[in-house]
Amino acid sequence: MKRTIAIVCGGDSSEHDVSMRSGAGLYSFFNKERYDIYLVETRGMDWQVHLNDGSRTPIIYKDFSFVENGKNKKFDYAYITIHGAPGENGIMQGYFEMVHVPYSTSNVLVEALTFDKFALNQYLRSFGVSVADSILIRKGEENDVNPADVEQRLGMPVFVKPSTDGSSFGVTKVKKAADLKPALDVAFAESDEVMVEGFLAGTEITCGCYRTKQKMVVFPITEVVTENEFFDYDAKYNGQVEEITPARIPEEIADRVRKITSMIYDILHCNGIIRIDYIISPEGKINMLEINTTPGMTVTSFIPQQIKAAGLDIKDVLSDIVENQF
């Protein structure tokens, strides 16, 4: 019998609509001869299954099931493609653990850790991963911040970004100390914790991978080129970027990036597809920026591009990820 799979999308962050586009992408990619696929859109405690006739029906929370044509159907697997809360911070993973439904992402602890950019950087630094220097500021502490002290510690420019958020919303590149406090206000609108991060000059790249019981697959690396100040929301989602796969970097550096990506995946004991963003400095140092545990999955997103460049069929990759937990 076919497994019944929920593509869980939407969520509560500013990227709800982006997540819905990822859900639609995944729906188009999955092998429908092998699986029965349904979109499950979430917003707060309103979880709705999109039925094939265009109608919707609510999720039954006690066992992650739903009613279609008068019959109860229980999902066998959840493919989570929510960017931000609650799908990328461990909360939704906790629910699926409680109802005993396998899911596509890493576990509760790993999701919570990777969602907190500041905590993740400190953790991976202890394993020798190179990251930018940064300062954590919690809501209520912003008036205690001395911009001159921040400049002395991190230099200028700096990036001010929500520490616990999965999106590009609330991110500002600050070029002078006088602009720091307005940038903090913007970031605090998205998160109660904000990270001020030192600027890293160089080539921005991103690399996806996944592991099954049989193999580790590291995809070709993508180079990210934008005329914008940084890889912001418009660059990500409104086409103001050039994405080059494979990246125009020396093979020796590409090999090191692949090894670091695989190493980080195993350090964290990840599950499913992740994508790690890096900056390669002019002298060839590889600096990790962040980890995406529910990367975008539209037709034009990085991961589908990388899968295609690797000569793989995305249907087979998604089947790999699902079947790895059965």
Side-chain angles (χ1 to χ4, degrees), residues 132-133 154-159 173-174 197-202 229-230:
D133 192 14
L154 301 177
M156 285 287 162
V158 295
F159 282 105
K173 184 178 181 180
V174 175
E197 187 175 55
F199 174 73
L200 295 170
E229 285 284 358
F230 60 97

Side-chain angles (χ1 to χ4, degrees), residues 15-80:
E15 285 194 287
H16 178 99
D17 292 346
V18 176
S19 170
M20 293 304 298
R21 296 205 293 270
S22 285
L26 282 163
Y27 187 89
S28 72
F29 298 146
F30 260 105
N31 185 341
K32 295 179 188 63
E33 293 181 1
R34 186 170 187 177
Y35 303 110
D36 285 331
I37 308 294
Y38 293 84
L39 286 181
V40 176
E41 181 177 359
T42 76
R43 192 187 293 272
M45 288 301 295
D46 182 21
W47 294 22
Q48 298 283 329
V49 183
H50 292 220
L51 300 178
N52 294 325
D53 64 4
S55 65
R56 301 185 185 191
T57 188
I59 279 287
I60 300 168
Y61 295 109
K62 67 178 182 179
D63 60 357
F64 196 53
S65 65
F66 64 103
V67 175
E68 185 176 31
N69 298 324
K71 295 182 179 179
N72 182 267
K73 296 185 75 171
K74 188 176 185 300
F75 284 112
D76 300 305
Y77 186 90
Y79 197 105
I80 303 171

Side-chain angles (χ1 to χ4, degrees), residues 13-15 117 158-174 179-197 230-234 236-237 290:
S13 79
S14 301
E15 285 194 287
K117 299 179 181 71
V158 295
F159 282 105
V160 178
K161 59 179 73 172
S163 185
T164 52
D165 192 74
S167 75
S168 295
F169 290 96
V171 182
T172 306
K173 184 178 181 180
V174 175
D179 294 335
L180 183 64
K181 290 200 172 181
L184 289 174
D185 292 339
V186 171
F188 276 121
E190 299 288 334
S191 171
D192 287 343
E193 294 189 346
V194 169
M195 182 166 71
V196 183
E197 187 175 55
F230 60 97
F231 189 47
D232 58 8
Y233 184 88
D234 283 331
K236 269 187 180 180
Y237 302 122
E290 64 178 77

Side-chain angles (χ1 to χ4, degrees), residues 2-305:
K2 289 183 176 180
R3 301 194 201 280
T4 303
I5 295 179
I7 298 173
V8 186
C9 46
D12 304 333
S13 79
S14 301
E15 285 194 287
H16 178 99
D17 292 346
V18 176
S19 170
M20 293 304 298
R21 296 205 293 270
S22 285
L26 282 163
Y27 187 89
S28 72
F29 298 146
F30 260 105
N31 185 341
K32 295 179 188 63
E33 293 181 1
R34 186 170 187 177
Y35 303 110
D36 285 331
I37 308 294
Y38 293 84
L39 286 181
V40 176
E41 181 177 359
T42 76
R43 192 187 293 272
M45 288 301 295
D46 182 21
W47 294 22
Q48 298 283 329
V49 183
H50 292 220
L51 300 178
N52 294 325
D53 64 4
S55 65
R56 301 185 185 191
T57 188
I59 279 287
I60 300 168
Y61 295 109
K62 67 178 182 179
D63 60 357
F64 196 53
S65 65
F66 64 103
V67 175
E68 185 176 31
N69 298 324
K71 295 182 179 179
N72 182 267
K73 296 185 75 171
K74 188 176 185 300
F75 284 112
D76 300 305
Y77 186 90
Y79 197 105
I80 303 171
T81 189
I82 291 175
H83 313 313
E88 206 170 9
N89 60 357
I91 292 174
M92 184 167 283
Q93 288 75 12
Y95 163 75
F96 286 123
E97 293 285 351
M98 292 175 68
V99 296
H100 305 292
V101 173
Y103 52 89
S104 60
T105 68
S106 304
N107 65 26
V108 174
L109 174 61
V110 174
E111 291 297 317
L113 179 59
T114 54
F115 192 68
D116 188 322
K117 299 179 181 71
F118 184 82
L120 176 69
N121 283 7
Q122 309 320 305
Y123 181 71
L124 288 179
R125 194 196 305 271
S126 70
F127 288 91
V129 176
S130 178
V131 296
D133 192 14
S134 59
I135 298 169
L136 180 68
I137 304 168
R138 294 186 173 92
K139 185 161 269 187
E141 299 174 349
E142 56 267 39
N143 293 329
D144 300 328
V145 175
N146 185 332
D149 292 343
V150 173
E151 183 172 15
Q152 184 175 10
R153 162 84 178 268
L154 301 177
M156 285 287 162
V158 295
F159 282 105
V160 178
K161 59 179 73 172
S163 185
T164 52
D165 192 74
S167 75
S168 295
F169 290 96
V171 182
T172 306
K173 184 178 181 180
V174 175
K175 298 180 180 179
K176 57 182 187 292
D179 294 335
L180 183 64
K181 290 200 172 181
L184 289 174
D185 292 339
V186 171
F188 276 121
E190 299 288 334
S191 171
D192 287 343
E193 294 189 346
V194 169
M195 182 166 71
V196 183
E197 187 175 55
F199 174 73
L200 295 170
T203 302
E204 184 163 355
I205 60 166
T206 187
C207 182
C209 71
Y210 72 97
R211 182 185 285 287
T212 68
K213 297 179 186 76
Q214 291 78 33
K215 62 188 176 184
M216 164 62 81
V217 179
V218 182
F219 301 132
I221 299 161
T222 300
E223 181 180 348
V224 181
V225 182
T226 180
E227 296 298 318
N228 297 9
E229 285 284 358
F230 60 97
F231 189 47
D232 58 8
Y233 184 88
D234 283 331
K236 269 187 180 180
Y237 302 122
N238 293 330
Q240 297 174 13
V241 66
E242 185 179 5
E243 299 164 2
I244 303 163
T245 310
R248 301 168 299 182
I249 57 177
E251 179 54 31
E252 179 270 328
I253 292 178
D255 186 56
R256 282 197 285 134
V257 169
R258 289 189 289 267
K259 287 177 178 174
I260 291 170
T261 301
S262 178
M263 179 188 77
I264 290 172
Y265 192 102
D266 290 341
I267 287 170
L268 295 171
H269 196 57
C270 291
N271 180 57
I273 296 175
I274 70 167
R275 202 192 78 232
I276 307 182
D277 302 338
Y278 302 92
I279 291 283
I280 302 173
S281 69
E283 60 272 17
K285 187 176 184 180
I286 299 165
N287 305 284
M288 190 203 77
L289 289 179
E290 64 178 77
I291 299 176
N292 301 275
T293 60
T294 61
M297 293 296 284
T298 69
V299 174
T300 58
S301 295
F302 288 123
I303 292 297
Q305 286 183 50

